[in-house]
Amino acid sequence: MFAKDFSYAAPASLAEALALLQSQPEGEVKLVAGGQSLIPLLKLRMTEIGALVDVSKIPELHGITDDGDGVVIGAATTYFQAVNSPLVQKRCPLVIQAVSQVGDPQVRARGTIGGSLAHADPAGDLPAVALAVDAELRATGPSGSRSIPATAFFVDLMTTALQPAEVLTAVRFHATDAPHAGTAYVKHRHPASGYAIVGVAAAVWLNDDGTCRAAHVGITGAGTHATRAAGVEQALTGKRLDDATLTAACANAADGLDLMSDPYASGEYRAHLTRVLAKRALAQAAATAAQR
Ligand SMILES: Cc1cc2nc3c(=O)[nH]c(=O)nc-3n(C[C@H](O)[C@H](O)[C@H](O)COP(=O)(O)OP(=O)(O)OC[C@H]3O[C@@H](n4cnc5c(N)ncnc54)[C@H](O)[C@@H]3O)c2cc1C
């Protein structure tokens, strides 16, 4: 199918993009970056739009920088650019672990870090990562710039805390290359698209004696939006992350999730996958942390 006609603009600056967003009535204009999620929706006529503003060439939305405790990735950075960045490879291995499992090479060549997070697909991989490493999402709108913690960003099905006239400019991922820190991303892929039926991102920080200082668990695919498994995290703090402890804690990994169900995977199956994959991701993250 073909999309309905729309106008197209590719601004050269963030200020120009913001002006274009405000020049149209709300709901009539949308940003596009890699187009990997939005263009299929337009072509299937699941959404209609009067104007597209392409942010992929805006310099302020590019660049990967080290800011001490974290790595800041411009929103229009493609998956391909992120996964090939030595800085991201060294300091944010969880981003690499997840991004290398996104879709296929074509999707990773065009899809962007910011587009994925702004789209907030319930089966997207990066939202779980953003939650597990306490990412900070930076947005600029008509009334200035602000920073949104990942825990407040994913609100509901494909709904984020971004306002319609705001542009996501960058994402700051907390670095996890410190001693005694480890991460892992584990997912059960849909065989056709590669999207997560369930995906779990885990980050673990150990004390010198090998007990768990902190564990963060981000879950995607199971519910309507990515969430942290707070109950699992609390159950692990201060404990040795052995098999029995992980099994007991992860038995509650699906508690409180607004489970989705479809012809491929029932809610019950998604709950089962959540428990199994949470344990696998935490075990892998703990093993890495123990070696550092
Ligand atoms: C075949 C296929 C397989 C896929 N498999 C996976 C997978 O396994 N895992 C996965 O996570 N994803 C998968 N995807 C989705 C892919 O990751 C998308 O690229 C990503 O979800 C959106 O990034 P984009 O840059 O293409 O965004 P676009 O499609 O351009 O935009 C998506 C949404 O984000 C908004 N947006 C974009 N940039 C900004 C910005 N800077 N500020 C504010 N809003 C913005 C747009 O307005 C739009 O609403 C797949 C896609 C395809 C086509």
Side-chain angles (χ1 to χ4, degrees):
M1 276 179 78
F2 293 101
K4 278 201 162 176
D5 287 351
F6 51 79
S7 67
Y8 172 85
S13 71
L14 181 56
E16 206 185 318
L18 291 170
L20 283 165
L21 274 181
Q22 288 175 81
S23 68
Q24 306 270 344
E26 193 181 313
E28 276 298 302
V29 57
K30 221 163 175 24
L31 301 177
V32 65
Q36 296 301 291
S37 294
L38 183 57
I39 300 299
L41 290 177
L42 291 171
K43 291 179 84 170
L44 291 166
R45 301 213 176 180
M46 291 169 77
T47 188
E48 289 178 9
I49 210 77
L52 276 188
V53 176
D54 185 343
V55 294
S56 65
K57 303 281 190 305
I58 296 179
E60 294 103 308
L61 271 57
H62 282 275
I64 301 178
T65 52
D66 193 330
D67 82 345
D69 265 4
V71 173
V72 180
I73 303 182
T77 303
T78 63
Y79 292 122
F80 179 82
Q81 290 165 335
V83 96
N84 284 294
S85 156
L87 184 58
V88 181
Q89 289 166 6
K90 177 179 181 303
R91 306 220 60 203
C92 301
L94 186 57
V95 172
I96 306 293
Q97 289 151 2
V99 166
S100 46
Q101 297 187 51
V102 169
D104 51 42
Q106 289 92 333
V107 172
R108 295 195 292 273
R110 294 203 66 92
T112 65
I113 301 293
S116 166
L117 293 165
H119 190 60
D121 192 297
D125 295 298
L126 270 188
V129 170
L131 286 168
V133 294
D134 280 333
E136 182 191 300
L137 293 103
R138 296 179 178 171
T140 300
S143 45
S145 298
R146 66 184 180 126
S147 176
I148 310 161
T151 45
F153 189 77
F154 306 104
V155 175
D156 204 344
L157 187 81
M158 291 176 164
T159 308
T160 70
L162 279 178
Q163 297 299 310
E166 280 184 319
V167 177
L168 186 63
T169 55
V171 188
R172 181 189 186 277
F173 292 93
H174 197 82
T176 55
D177 58 343
H180 304 323
T183 58
Y185 183 72
V186 179
K187 83 166 165 178
H188 182 75
R189 298 168 60 94
H190 189 286
S193 68
Y195 275 103
I197 300 300
V198 172
V200 179
V204 165
W205 293 265
L206 299 179
N207 293 310
D208 287 342
D209 67 359
T211 56
C212 176
R213 181 156 59 84
H216 292 178
V217 180
I219 297 172
T220 189
T224 50
H225 59 99
T227 46
R228 281 270 289 267
V232 175
E233 297 173 2
Q234 282 155 21
L236 297 175
T237 308
K239 307 241 177 76
R240 280 193 185 280
L241 301 184
D242 54 28
D243 192 70
T245 302
L246 290 177
T247 303
C250 293
N252 303 319
D255 289 4
L257 288 176
D258 181 12
L259 290 164
M260 295 189 299
S261 186
D262 58 38
Y264 185 77
S266 66
E268 194 185 345
Y269 182 50
R270 282 186 157 88
H272 170 72
L273 284 175
T274 302
R275 292 188 284 269
V276 170
L277 300 185
K279 184 181 167 190
R280 278 187 204 161
L282 281 161
Q284 284 181 28
T288 305
Q291 287 162 14
R292 295 178 78 120

